[in-house]
């Protein structure tokens, strides 16, 4: 259960303008603390990659229309239903798009490192 201070702190940085992606990324991560929210981001991003691969192989340009629906759909469900905050995409579209892929790549790297250490 969160208190009002936690709710306020989640939105304080929205007024700040980030001069670089390096400055923005810690804020982005602070908006993705709920594991289910992060998981929905990962699922959406992986499905986006799958759709992109299928579109390239089949030449189906129409399927490319699904990319933003799937990518943002999963992410926004995570924010609205689990994280209970406003997606960073609304205020920082480019940095947020970049951060989605960085967060996913960091997760994939952690999985491979853990598997290497355990295997």
């Amino acid at each position: 259960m969160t208190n009002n201070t936690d709710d306020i702190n989640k939105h304080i940085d929205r007024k700040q303008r980030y001069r670089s992606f390096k400055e923005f990324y810690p804020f982005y991560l602070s908006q993705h603390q709920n594991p289910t929210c992060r998981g929905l981001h990962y699922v959406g991003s992986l499905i986006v990659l799958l759709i992109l691969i299928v579109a390239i192989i089949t030449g189906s340009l129409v399927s490319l229309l699904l990319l933003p629906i799937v990518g943002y759909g999963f992410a926004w469900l995570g924010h609205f239903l689990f994280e209970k905050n406003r997606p960073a995409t609304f205020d920082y579209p480019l940095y947020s798009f970049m951060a989605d892929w960085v967060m996913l790549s960091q997760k994939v790297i952690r999985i491979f490192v853990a598997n290497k250490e355990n295997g």
Side-chain angles (χ1 to χ4, degrees), residues 34-44:
N34 180 282
T36 303
C37 179
R38 279 191 188 211
L40 286 168
H41 276 68
Y42 300 146
V43 168

Side-chain angles (χ1 to χ4, degrees), residues 3-39:
N3 61 36
N4 288 341
T5 305
D6 292 336
D7 292 335
I8 291 167
N9 287 337
K10 278 193 169 185
H11 301 286
I12 287 175
D13 290 333
R14 291 206 174 275
K15 294 180 183 179
Q16 179 177 344
R17 285 290 143 200
Y18 298 97
R19 292 171 293 182
S20 69
F21 180 75
K22 185 177 180 178
E23 286 182 7
F24 170 77
Y25 193 59
F27 164 72
Y28 176 87
L29 291 177
S30 78
Q31 302 300 294
H32 297 82
Q33 294 180 23
N34 180 282
T36 303
C37 179
R38 279 191 188 211

Side-chain angles (χ1 to χ4, degrees), residues 47-60:
I47 293 173
V48 160
L49 289 175
L50 182 62
I51 292 170
L52 186 59
I53 291 167
V54 169
I56 291 169
I57 291 171
T58 64
S60 172

